[in-house]
Amino acid sequence: MNQRIQAGIDNLINRLLSSQSADGSWRLGFIEYGMSTDAAAVLLLTSAGINKPKLVSSLRDRILAKQSDDGAWRVYPDENGGNLSATAECYFALQFAGLSASEPRMVKAREAIRNMGGLSSIDSLLTKFMLAAVGQYEWPRWFPVPLSLLLLPQSAPVHFYKFSCYARVHMAPMMLLGDRKPAFKLPHVEPLPSQPSTESWLNHFDRRFIEMYNNRLFDIPGLTAPTLREQGTKKALDFMFERLEPDGTLYCYASATMLMVQALRALGFAITDPIITRAIGGLEALLTQDNGHVTMQNTTSTVWDTALISHALREAGVTAAHPAIRSAGSYLLSRQHTKLGDWKLRADAEHPTPGGWGFSDHNTINPDMDDTTAALRALEALSGIGPAGMTYQDAAERGLQWLLSMQNSDGGWAAFERNTNSRIIRFIPLDGAEDAATDPSTPDLTGRTLDYLGRHAGLTAKRSRFVRRAADWLYGTQERNGSWYGRWGVCYLYGTWAALTGLTAVGESPEHPQIRRAVDWLYRVQNSDGGFGESCRSDSVKRFSPLPYSTLSQTAWALDALTAVTAGRPTEAMERACSFLLQELNANGRAAQYPTGAGLPGYLYTRYDSYSLIWPLLALANYRNKFAP
């Protein structure tokens, strides 16, 4: 077994070293975000009259290629009955791209929409905005999120900055669209026979929020409605323009950028306006190839992949002096943030200082905890090498200080900002408000942060009060069955891996009753082939939903968690997990291609081309280092 493991590690090392880019980064394939961004791109380009026929044609072909035999589209392979939002988006995108509604595949799509309840059953607010902007879904008579929300002071019970940062960059253009209610129709597009009532929008609003709107709690004394609208519009524009990245995108998200362009069009901006042309250029930079078709990523994962790969290679035995590691370090150093972002508003520091890392190549103002700890792991070994060692050490210290200033008051860590988890925001209208509108502490991010603090910064729960608080928070959020829920990966396997590796890294005993309960849960959910697999459905129903087959990344997470908590010799179940990884490493089937990254439950999941390489390498390396040094 030891020789097979080493051979598998060597294989992965060689594949990763040979795929590094000239700038030191890794750009392994792409992140698949399903069909929503492709459909939105087609709707935007065609409705705006932006003449890119080859691009639209290729996006159309990919959308068609992803249609299931039953006429529907799905956001993950095993989704029962199809996904209504994705199917409606794709159906109209294909018409806007020139496909006739009478085409057989369009007839099947229309039948699938009808079988899923029709447009009135769509539960995605983003889908409704996307379709309403192009005249395929009626706007509501009144929209209960007025632009005046942007004008409320931060002392108000509800104000714009109580929402998460990723909600805000989508809400600003959505509020403009909801106010202006454009309908950029094309004459050849046939609407579906029955349109839902405009009241269907109210399904996204809690009754208490509607009462707040009706009671005029968003009005500002002394300002008339036209003045509120004018000032709110300016505030929304300023908010968006101040958050444009160098590539022209809004916060590096294609979804937010496309909403912004539609909102600017609704305000009368010409498509030749420099802001729009730069935004379209930024969107085009997100295009990539998928099996011969063009697809649009919602963002890129270059920083994330580079940091994870560099660290995994080091754990696998590649020295810090290796040119690939040093080149990756140079790239990561160039991507450390030097500007203050919105995170500064709640940072636990008298004088907030930038020092984090973001997810994508062009992200300069929106750092996050996961990328920061990933980058810090990758840079750790470089702090003592050569004349640049001090530079890396300084960068690591700034990154650590930023990370510590982001710990939430409850002891955990969120994704982007500190203490952005207001209970009152959870009934504001965004799909799954708890998942989108707020940015709470999560077991996966808290566990990953503890893993860094324990294994790489030398901190323990016994000696560090803030580490103790984080460990206690993790114990308090464990599910009754012993697992933990992961917000940014699928899902309970991801969260349990992060929690167990984090707790053991900061010195918690593997014999702790709650740790043993988690270990027992992992053994219970192992598949007969030795691997582990979990459906994206877990994210929607909020309970573990097994896959009938195993995936590489989820098996690697489970094996790594068991490695962290196992003393002595590995168990037979762990050996079977190793065998599954080694058997499937070179395959490119469902074990490698199932989406195991999470975005928005029931709507957006991500498949990373890199995950089938990174996580098996890390798991096998940690297993070898512990049991067969």
Side-chain angles (χ1 to χ4, degrees):
M1 173 67 84
N2 290 345
Q3 290 181 339
R4 289 181 62 211
I5 290 174
Q6 187 59 52
I9 290 172
D10 291 342
N11 174 20
L12 290 170
I13 289 174
N14 291 334
R15 290 167 67 182
L16 288 169
L17 289 178
S18 66
S19 61
Q20 189 177 28
S21 299
D23 66 354
S25 68
W26 273 274
R27 303 164 192 267
L28 292 178
F30 73 109
I31 320 173
E32 183 180 9
Y33 287 93
M35 307 312 301
S36 183
T37 50
D38 288 353
V42 169
L43 294 173
L44 171 62
L45 294 170
T46 54
S47 68
I50 298 172
N51 187 29
K52 294 187 179 293
K54 289 184 178 179
L55 172 55
V56 170
S57 176
S58 188
L59 290 170
R60 179 200 64 199
D61 291 346
R62 181 174 187 268
I63 292 172
L64 283 170
K66 295 291 184 178
Q67 187 180 20
S68 301
D69 292 339
D70 60 6
W73 282 263
R74 287 164 168 76
V75 296
Y76 55 91
D78 56 313
E79 185 175 25
N80 291 330
N83 186 278
L84 177 56
S85 292
T87 303
E89 293 168 2
C90 291
Y91 173 77
F92 284 113
L94 289 173
Q95 282 203 70
F96 272 70
L99 206 63
S100 169
S102 62
E103 291 280 344
R105 298 184 68 170
M106 297 294 280
V107 173
K108 291 187 70 173
R110 197 158 54 246
E111 181 66 20
I113 292 172
R114 183 162 50 247
N115 291 338
M116 288 185 277
L119 293 186
S120 60
S121 296
I122 290 176
D123 59 5
S124 166
L125 192 65
L126 285 171
T127 300
K128 292 179 181 179
F129 268 90
M130 188 189 304
L131 298 182
V134 294
Q136 304 308 314
Y137 199 103
E138 284 194 55
W139 289 107
R141 289 189 295 273
W142 52 275
F143 190 65
V145 188
L147 288 166
S148 58
L149 175 66
L150 290 156
L151 304 176
L152 293 175
Q154 294 188 33
S155 58
V158 177
H159 60 81
F160 192 56
Y161 285 89
K162 276 190 176 289
F163 294 87
S164 67
C165 66
Y166 46 88
R168 293 193 300 266
V169 294
H170 290 85
M171 283 178 65
M174 289 166 76
M175 290 162 70
L176 287 168
L177 288 168
D179 180 79
R180 295 314 198 267
K181 301 179 177 58
F184 303 117
K185 296 182 180 181
L186 291 184
H188 67 271
V189 174
E190 296 181 23
L192 289 174
S194 59
Q195 278 286 325
S197 164
T198 60
E199 301 304 309
S200 68
W201 291 80
L202 299 184
N203 296 334
H204 298 277
F205 297 76
D206 186 280
R207 175 181 54 80
R208 294 166 293 177
F209 188 81
I210 295 174
E211 290 175 355
M212 291 168 65
Y213 180 87
N214 289 335
N215 292 331
R216 308 183 71 84
L217 292 181
F218 297 128
D219 289 358
I220 298 177
L223 295 180
T224 64
T227 303
L228 284 172
R229 189 188 200 202
E230 179 184 351
Q231 292 191 11
T233 297
K234 182 180 184 305
K235 194 77 170 179
L237 289 173
D238 289 344
F239 175 85
M240 294 187 301
F241 295 164
E242 289 167 3
R243 287 156 185 81
L244 294 177
E245 288 287 9
D247 64 351
T249 61
L250 178 56
Y251 248 40
C252 290
Y253 296 141
S255 53
T257 304
M258 288 188 280
L259 285 168
M260 177 187 73
V261 172
Q262 295 288 45
L264 294 179
R265 293 180 64 211
L267 293 173
F269 282 65
I271 61 171
T272 55
D273 186 277
I275 293 175
I276 291 182
T277 57
R278 284 198 299 272
I280 297 299
L283 290 171
E284 288 187 281
L286 292 171
L287 295 168
T288 190
Q289 290 287 322
D290 175 29
N291 293 323
H293 302 301
V294 170
T295 184
M296 180 169 288
Q297 302 171 100
N298 197 42
T299 188
T300 62
S301 57
T302 315
V303 172
W304 176 241
D305 284 345
T306 301
L308 292 177
I309 291 170
S310 180
H311 169 63
L313 288 172
R314 287 281 298 115
E315 293 298 308
V318 179
T319 68
H322 192 286
I325 302 299
R326 300 183 73 167
S327 181
S330 178
Y331 169 81
L332 290 171
L333 195 64
S334 73
R335 295 307 189 270
Q336 186 174 29
H337 288 197
T338 59
K339 297 188 293 187
L340 293 173
D342 288 343
W343 55 266
K344 69 180 183 296
L345 297 174
R346 296 189 184 88
D348 187 17
E350 185 175 353
H351 301 290
T353 303
W357 278 264
F359 185 69
S360 68
D361 198 29
H362 298 289
N363 186 324
T364 65
I365 54 177
N366 185 33
D368 66 87
M369 315 305 153
D370 230 358
D371 279 282
T372 297
T373 58
L376 289 172
R377 288 185 190 91
L379 296 182
E380 178 193 22
L382 295 169
S383 61
I385 295 182
M390 187 59 68
T391 302
Y392 286 116
Q393 185 174 332
D394 290 343
E397 289 176 358
R398 285 188 285 115
L400 177 60
Q401 290 307 310
W402 181 83
L403 186 70
L404 296 180
S405 74
M406 290 291 108
Q407 186 178 23
N408 282 339
S409 296
D410 62 12
W413 273 271
F416 298 100
E417 295 178 341
R418 180 175 178 269
N419 289 349
T420 311
N421 191 30
S422 171
R423 293 184 63 84
I424 197 171
I425 294 302
R426 298 182 187 183
F427 58 80
I428 302 299
L430 276 176
D431 305 308
E434 193 167 354
D435 296 297
T438 61
D439 186 15
S441 297
T442 66
D444 47 327
L445 292 167
T446 302
R448 297 299 293 149
T449 302
L450 287 182
D451 176 82
Y452 168 72
L453 294 176
R455 292 188 63 188
H456 302 275
L459 301 175
T460 66
K462 288 183 179 180
R463 297 183 178 180
S464 301
R465 184 174 60 86
F466 61 88
V467 173
R468 177 75 265 160
R469 288 175 54 238
D472 290 343
W473 182 88
L474 270 179
Y475 287 131
T477 57
Q478 188 178 27
E479 304 288 326
R480 293 181 64 181
N481 64 7
S483 67
W484 276 272
Y485 172 74
R487 167 66 182 86
W488 299 97
V490 178
C491 203
Y492 292 92
L493 288 172
Y494 186 70
T496 303
W497 160 70
L500 287 179
T501 53
L503 288 169
T504 55
V506 295
E508 294 297 279
S509 171
E511 300 305 316
H512 190 289
Q514 288 185 251
I515 290 179
R516 297 317 307 170
R517 190 144 49 97
V519 170
D520 291 342
W521 177 81
L522 282 172
Y523 284 134
R524 287 200 305 274
V525 300
Q526 187 173 21
N527 289 335
S528 59
D529 62 7
F532 293 77
E534 181 177 2
S535 171
C536 294
R537 185 172 180 268
S538 293
D539 216 11
S540 296
V541 300
K542 295 297 189 286
R543 65 176 182 274
F544 179 75
S545 296
L547 269 178
Y549 56 89
S550 301
T551 72
L552 283 166
S553 54
Q554 290 169 330
T555 301
W557 294 332
L559 176 62
D560 202 39
L562 292 171
T563 298
V565 300
T566 300
R569 293 185 57 80
T571 64
E572 183 267 341
M574 293 168 66
E575 291 178 343
R576 290 196 298 119
C578 274
S579 293
F580 173 83
L581 290 178
L582 295 170
Q583 176 181 319
E584 297 292 330
L585 277 183
N586 294 315
N588 192 32
R590 60 187 185 178
Q593 295 185 356
Y594 191 83
T596 58
L600 189 60
Y603 184 76
L604 180 64
Y605 299 94
T606 53
R607 176 178 68 82
Y608 295 80
D609 278 352
S610 61
Y611 272 23
S612 61
L613 302 175
I614 294 170
W615 300 118
L617 176 59
L618 185 65
L620 291 171
N622 286 339
Y623 183 95
R624 178 204 63 188
N625 294 345
K626 185 169 186 177
F627 299 118

